[in-house]
Structure formats: C-alpha cells, structure tokens
Amino acid sequence: MTSAAAGRARAGLPALLVSIAVTGVAAFGAAFASRTSAAFYAVLDKPAWAPPAWLFGPVWSLLYLLMAVAAWRVWRASGLADARAAMGLYLVQLALNALWTWLFFVWRDGPWATAEVLALWGSIVATLIAFRRHDATAGYLLAPYLAWVSFASALTVSVWLRNPSLL
C-alpha cells in the first residue's frame, strides 16, 4: 500500500474528529476575541443591510462545520502527504479567519481589519480551488464560506468608513 493510500485508509472518523478539532481551534480563537463584540457592534454606525448581532454565531458555527468537513474530505480523498499544499492553504486561511476578529473587535483597527479580510478572501479562494482539485465536494463546501466572507468584506469596509473615530 502506498503512503497516500495508507493516509486515505486512516482518514475515517478519527480524521474527521481531528479536522473538527483543528478548525475548532480557529473558531475558539475568534469566539474568544468576540466575547464582548455584541456591545461594540451595537454602538457602531452600520449600513441598513448589516445583519443583527445574534446571526453571526449560528452562521459561523455552520461555516466552521462545513470547513472542517471539507478539509476532512480532502484528507480522505488524497491523504495528508498528497494534499500538503491544499491543507497548508487551509491552515493559513484559518489563521487569517481568527485574526480578523482580533483586528476588528479587540484592537479596533479598521484599516488593518479591511486589509486582512481581503487577504482572507484571497486565501479562501485559493483554498477552495486547491480543495476542488482533490475533491469537488470539498470545494463546494467552502462556497458558502466564501460568500459570507465576501459579504463580511463589504460590511467591514462600510462599518470602518462610517466609524473612523471608533475604528
């Protein structure tokens, strides 16, 4: 059995749990940074199309689950060794994902949060393309995440421009 075949054979439930745990670390980092975000979000001048604060938790929970399943599918399809580049991109976008929350809600730095969310968007596109090369469904599972971050990018810019004294 080749190393890739052996890697795929081990990519069952334990691998899914590892994928969820790794993704959960990023989710926890963002959640920790956003623990007081509702109060800050409430005082910001937001566009009419901004979602209510309560919506972010459920949306992000679903997106993190989809991301973890996508990563697991790539692992299962190709093995970690053969999907090293795709998984590296995945880890980069996870780190960027968590960093945005710190930049925006903790450090309240609108310019850096804006630059960072655009970098995050690009890293998601790259990850989606890389994942799709290994498993088409994995790529599709990242599409809602890309859509939400596209929306979040526009919201970040809008809120920053409306609140220069706060961000």
Side-chain angles (χ1 to χ4, degrees):
M1 182 181 290
T2 68
S3 64
R8 286 189 298 274
R10 289 190 301 269
L13 181 60
L16 177 60
L17 296 176
V18 168
S19 183
I20 290 170
V22 168
T23 304
V25 168
F28 177 78
F32 184 79
S34 66
R35 66 192 182 283
T36 61
S37 64
F40 180 59
Y41 189 72
V43 301
L44 292 171
D45 179 17
K46 298 175 288 296
W49 46 270
W54 64 263
L55 185 62
F56 289 95
V59 168
W60 276 111
S61 296
L62 176 60
L63 293 174
Y64 282 122
L65 180 60
L66 293 174
M67 291 161 49
V69 171
W72 170 69
R73 287 186 63 91
V74 169
W75 183 352
R76 191 179 68 179
S78 298
L80 287 178
D82 289 344
R84 184 174 301 134
M87 295 307 241
L89 286 168
Y90 181 72
L91 293 175
V92 166
Q93 69 79 29
L94 277 178
L96 288 171
N97 179 304
L99 177 60
W100 181 90
T101 309
W102 287 89
L103 285 166
F104 193 87
F105 287 113
V106 177
W107 301 319
R108 298 182 182 177
D109 193 326
W112 277 108
T114 297
E116 197 279 346
V117 79
L118 297 175
L120 172 60
W121 188 90
S123 71
I124 295 167
V125 169
T127 304
L128 187 152
I129 292 167
F131 273 24
R132 201 173 64 205
R133 289 181 182 144
H134 293 276
D135 180 85
T137 301
Y140 294 128
L141 287 171
L142 293 184
Y145 176 38
L146 180 61
W148 182 258
V149 170
S150 297
F151 172 76
S153 297
L155 185 60
T156 298
V157 171
S158 178
V159 170
W160 167 42
L161 293 176
R162 290 166 173 263
N163 299 274
S165 64
L166 297 176
L167 292 166

